[in-house]
Amino acid sequence: MNKYEILKHYFGYAEFREGQERMIDSILAGKDTLGIMPTGAGKSLCYQIPALMMDGITLVISPLISLMKDQVGALNQAGIHAAYLNSSLTVGQYYKALAFAKEGRYPIIYVAPERLVTEEFLDFALHAKISMVAVDEAHCVSQWGQDFRPSYLKIVEFIEKLPVRPVISAFTATATQEVKEDIIDILMLQNPTVTTTGFNRPNLYFSVQSPKDKYETVKTCLLQHPNDSGIIYCLTRKLTEEVCEKLIRDGFSATRYHAGLRDEERQNNQDDFIYDRCRIMVATNAFGMGIDKSNVRYVIHYNMPKNMESYYQEAGRAGRDGEPAECVLLYAGQDVITNQFFIDNNQDNEELDEITRQMVMERDRERLKKMTFYCFTNDCLRDYILRYFGEYGSGYCGNCSNCLTQFETVDVTEEAKAIIGCVAGCRQRYGVTVIIDTVHGANTAKIRNYRMNENPFYGSLAKTPTHRLRRIFNELQLQEYLTVTNDEYAIVRLTEKSGNGLPDDWTMQMKMAKEAEKQEKVSAAKKSGRGKASAAGELTAGQQTLFEALRSLRAELARAEKVPPYIVFSDKTLTHMCLVKPKTKEQMLTVTGVGEFKFEKYGERFLQVLEEYALAVSESR
Ligand code: ADP
Ligand code: MG
Ligand code: ZN
């Protein structure tokens, strides 16, 4: 079979996505290949398809047991023989799998890196024909990345022992230059074909909100997704526990995950989520690496994370199937303080020498600042993200909360002058809250103690609501008229632009959301489908009913096979089925994600449900 036939036959897809073909061709031409593509772009197919076309075995190196299990499960479901070798197997199972591997049963074998240079495995590998070593999550070789794994360094050691050097391919979603260079150097890729696809994920809707009551906002969002799976990230274990408990009490199907739980409980909770037994996962950032669940329809950040890298990685766990999904960040000033605390008390830094430690802290504070500015900006959020990662955006994506909000340009010269004047008048000694309270004219003990009631600007903006003052303050930071020190005191300082006084004719304009319209616009745009965030969102009411029927059949089949439902068919496949409404095998095979093998296994059952639905509809007419 050629690559197109394999794509259709085993995976049920009609065409390749951006970058896939180039990487497959490069591997088939015997060249080392490095693929840098965002989460959900479809990196796995780039090594799986050539693996099926080359004679000999492809070894896939993957960092996590859960990832291997998932991928091997998906391959077996598609009718491809694959196995994994890692510490989750008993000794007996391990030797059995090795024996099958020796017989040449598996074109694809997933191996944990620490297994590679063990005696048993080498004994097998040295006598087998290894045609490719594919390194998944290749950024794990780099100490620059967040997921450095020393065991990944064994990969090169292993390759050097092989009698013939196989093709080496490597894949990651991490785009920074340091990591890319590390991968090439450390894995010793020879003149590799490097393919980088854009980092944009058009199916993700981005939104930032600063609600008074975060929990209520979360509930509203969950009610808009009554049947969908989603993740809620919290900054601390304590908050994770709290939010999860409240949700359960309010009748939501939620579970939790953080490093403070016992291994067994963590594993169970993760499985409940992956197998759709529980819809909502409340977790710290310990959760997610290696979660390939494709039908996560929303990721809510209950707190602002520490940097844009973390944010995009975590938010990017939504919508891997390419269907609409929602990424909501709930910002509060306290999040900055909590993150600042983590930076100042980072245990990982303790081994570093003092100069390096200071440098790392400085870098982390800078990153935190860029993250904070993401929450402040009134421009397109997607643009902000893409620019952060070194790409250009179009200025307007039409699928983020800023693009969908009606702004008006307002003149804030008077307010801005008062705030800057207030900072200058207190000799740059206080934090944001004190400054805002002063210009607003708050009559608190703190203000009197600091004698800020004697500041010339005390009460000069008494009529402006404090939330508006905060917006203007944030804008002054964005435009670099004010800066906040990067230490625990977070003191407001003047900058080069403002330090020597402002010119007489100085003015300042900024975009402000038209308050009353804001919510309505966003929800109206969502209803009209632009910001839709449910896989079934584009379906009519009748089709939704059908979707639910197909979904429950999928759940039943998944339970019987002991695999996660999305491995039977993705949400995207079910949605497409509702639109195509196939009646025959031929028609069913045109549905995206339905290949020959899966059709043999499940096709008739799904056709039956479709037929029952068609009958019910015609009878009701
Ligand atoms: P990555 O490893 O890059 O994060 P995956 O390999 O896990 O992404 O693929 C994400 C999803 O995209 C999977 O559900 C996969 O089946 C699907 N996919 C991959 N390639 C295609 C394609 N050419 N057409 C449609 N869907 C695809
Ligand atoms: Mg992957
Ligand atoms: Zn936008």
Side-chain angles (χ1 to χ4, degrees):
M1 274 195 267
N2 66 30
K3 61 188 175 192
Y4 303 107
E5 286 160 354
I6 291 179
L7 182 70
K8 185 68 213 154
H9 181 87
Y10 288 108
F11 299 97
Y13 300 135
E15 50 198 66
F16 285 107
R17 289 199 188 141
E18 189 192 348
Q20 286 181 327
E21 231 179 323
R22 180 161 184 260
M23 277 184 268
I24 292 169
D25 291 344
S26 160
I27 292 171
L28 289 174
K31 293 192 63 189
D32 285 357
T33 301
L34 170 59
I36 302 174
M37 299 161 97
T39 309
K43 292 183 281 294
S44 320
L45 286 193
C46 300
Y47 56 82
Q48 289 166 347
I49 288 183
L52 296 175
M53 296 172 71
M54 297 194 284
D55 77 25
I57 296 168
T58 289
L59 298 178
V60 183
I61 318 300
S62 177
L64 290 178
I65 290 171
S66 60
L67 259 181
M68 294 191 210
K69 221 172 123 187
D70 216 51
Q71 299 256 352
V72 168
L75 287 170
N76 289 333
Q77 284 290 314
I80 297 165
H81 294 285
Y84 56 80
L85 300 173
N86 61 37
S87 60
S88 74
L89 300 180
T90 62
V91 176
Q93 289 171 325
Y94 184 74
Y95 280 101
K96 194 164 160 204
L98 260 188
F100 282 160
K102 280 182 189 159
E103 289 169 18
R105 284 215 200 179
Y106 308 120
I108 303 179
I109 301 174
Y110 282 73
V111 196
E114 56 275 7
R115 290 270 147 174
L116 289 172
V117 289
T118 59
E119 210 171 303
E120 306 87 37
F121 188 76
L122 276 175
D123 174 56
F124 152 71
L126 294 180
H127 299 99
K129 179 166 183 203
I130 310 291
S131 40
M132 167 159 65
V133 172
V135 184
D136 205 1
E137 313 291 344
H139 58 280
C140 290
V141 299
S142 170
Q143 310 215 24
W144 286 100
Q146 318 206 352
D147 307 312
F148 173 59
R149 287 182 180 244
S151 59
Y152 258 56
L153 301 175
K154 295 205 195 310
I155 298 171
V156 194
E157 200 184 314
F158 168 74
I159 292 169
E160 283 176 340
K161 288 193 165 52
L162 293 176
V164 183
R165 185 181 184 278
V167 177
I168 317 289
S169 60
F171 301 88
T172 178
T174 308
T176 62
Q177 191 62 22
E178 294 117 329
V179 172
K180 177 176 147 187
E181 282 166 11
D182 265 7
I183 293 173
I184 295 178
D185 291 349
I186 296 171
L187 292 178
M188 298 201 282
L189 300 185
Q190 296 175 0
N191 187 23
T193 312
V194 181
T195 302
T196 309
T197 62
F199 263 62
N200 189 14
R201 303 266 312 272
N203 61 316
L204 300 185
Y205 168 81
F206 290 98
S207 124
V208 174
Q209 300 177 33
S210 324
K212 280 211 183 67
D213 186 339
K214 287 187 177 183
Y215 184 72
E216 280 305 312
T217 310
V218 166
K219 262 173 49 181
T220 311
C221 181
L222 296 181
L223 293 172
Q224 287 167 355
H225 291 274
N227 299 311
D228 294 333
S229 287
I231 305 173
I232 302 173
Y233 278 109
C234 301
L235 263 184
T236 62
R237 294 177 192 179
K238 185 160 167 274
L239 190 59
T240 304
E241 290 286 341
E242 267 172 42
V243 172
C244 182
E245 209 180 291
K246 274 199 215 164
L247 287 174
I248 291 172
R249 207 173 48 216
D250 287 342
F252 290 97
S253 158
T255 185
R256 69 208 200 284
Y257 190 106
H258 59 70
L261 299 175
R262 279 178 300 112
D263 284 355
E264 194 192 328
E265 180 172 11
R266 254 191 349 223
Q267 188 60 45
N268 285 341
N269 294 353
Q270 171 169 327
D271 284 349
D272 283 348
F273 179 65
I274 289 183
Y275 287 80
D276 286 354
R277 294 190 289 260
C278 227
R279 284 198 308 107
I280 303 164
M281 172 58 89
V282 188
T284 62
N285 62 2
F287 177 76
M289 161 90 155
I291 305 298
D292 265 1
K293 187 175 168 64
S294 72
N295 62 335
V296 174
R297 295 267 68 87
Y298 56 88
V299 172
I300 301 173
H301 278 76
Y302 206 88
N303 306 102
M304 178 185 77
K306 61 178 186 287
N307 56 41
M308 291 295 293
E309 285 86 349
S310 309
Y311 181 62
Y312 203 46
Q313 191 175 46
E314 288 159 13
R317 296 197 172 112
R320 291 178 75 110
D321 51 12
E323 289 291 284
E326 205 169 332
C327 309
V328 182
L329 196 165
L330 304 180
Y331 170 86
Q334 179 61 39
D335 301 340
V336 183
I337 297 169
T338 311
N339 277 302
Q340 196 82 60
F341 178 84
F342 286 149
I343 292 174
D344 293 342
N345 297 281
N346 188 345
Q347 306 280 331
D348 299 345
N349 289 354
E350 269 163 19
E351 299 154 24
L352 305 174
D353 64 78
E354 190 51 28
I355 296 176
T356 320
R357 206 172 72 92
Q358 290 299 336
M359 266 170 54
V360 170
M361 270 164 77
E362 194 49 40
R363 183 196 69 188
D364 289 349
R365 285 173 180 148
E366 233 4 81
R367 286 187 180 169
L368 174 59
K369 195 177 228 171
K370 296 255 171 64
M371 182 74 244
T372 313
F373 285 0
Y374 173 78
C375 302
F376 292 171
T377 184
N378 283 328
D379 296 333
C380 174
L381 294 172
R382 187 180 312 277
D383 244 42
Y384 187 95
I385 296 170
L386 293 177
R387 268 187 281 117
Y388 184 86
F389 291 110
E391 287 183 31
Y392 296 99
S394 61
Y396 177 88
C397 76
N399 194 23
C400 77
S401 56
N402 283 350
C403 284
L404 295 179
T405 300
Q406 283 259 314
F407 288 101
E408 53 191 343
T409 303
V410 288
D411 186 289
V412 292
T413 308
E414 188 202 342
E415 292 94 328
K417 275 186 173 163
I419 293 171
I420 292 172
C422 177
V423 174
C426 70
R427 302 207 306 280
Q428 310 181 43
R429 281 182 304 179
Y430 300 119
V432 187
T433 311
V434 171
I435 300 298
I436 298 219
D437 281 353
T438 302
V439 292
H440 193 60
N443 185 15
T444 63
K446 197 171 184 180
I447 294 292
R448 288 191 303 270
N449 283 344
Y450 292 165
R451 302 178 66 167
M452 285 299 274
N453 48 352
E454 295 165 20
N455 184 289
F457 292 92
Y458 178 76
S460 65
L461 301 175
K463 290 211 180 84
T464 317
T466 46
H467 67 86
R468 191 178 168 96
L469 290 174
R470 282 215 174 247
R471 293 243 170 81
I472 300 170
F473 185 90
N474 294 344
E475 184 71 19
L476 282 166
Q477 263 186 283
L478 277 178
Q479 296 199 21
E480 296 181 340
Y481 286 102
L482 291 177
T483 174
V484 176
T485 59
N486 271 335
D487 53 31
E488 58 192 301
Y489 305 109
I491 289 166
V492 184
R493 291 258 154 86
L494 302 176
T495 64
E496 254 174 59
K497 276 169 106 171
S498 58
N500 299 318
L502 299 164
D504 286 343
D505 58 352
W506 183 83
T507 60
M508 183 165 123
Q509 275 79 35
M510 69 177 282
K511 287 202 308 190
M512 230 19 124
K514 288 189 183 169
E515 280 305 326
E517 284 171 48
K518 188 170 174 178
Q519 278 313 314
E520 282 163 38
K521 283 278 171 186
V522 173
S523 53
K526 273 198 188 158
K527 283 205 191 81
S528 79
R530 277 156 87 202
K532 67 183 179 280
S534 164
E538 59 203 277
L539 303 176
T540 62
Q543 288 166 339
Q544 296 261 12
T545 316
L546 176 58
F547 184 89
E548 290 310 323
L550 297 174
R551 187 188 342 227
S552 65
L553 171 60
R554 176 178 73 174
E556 183 189 319
L557 295 169
R559 264 198 304 279
E561 299 257 333
K562 296 199 171 54
V563 295
Y566 62 90
I567 282 185
V568 173
F569 281 134
S570 69
D571 278 10
K572 185 173 195 137
T573 299
L574 296 192
T575 310
H576 200 203
M577 244 179 238
C578 295
L579 297 172
V580 177
K581 296 204 184 68
K583 292 196 176 66
T584 63
K585 176 177 176 184
E586 278 61 46
Q587 291 170 353
M588 186 62 115
L589 285 173
T590 66
V591 172
T592 184
V594 184
E596 285 282 347
F597 191 80
K598 281 199 181 166
F599 181 84
E600 289 309 322
K601 247 178 134 165
Y602 307 123
E604 293 300 339
R605 299 283 308 269
F606 280 89
L607 282 175
Q608 203 183 330
V609 170
L610 285 154
E611 194 186 324
E612 281 162 15
Y613 172 81
L615 270 176
V617 170
S618 67
E619 275 167 14
S620 71
R621 282 215 176 103

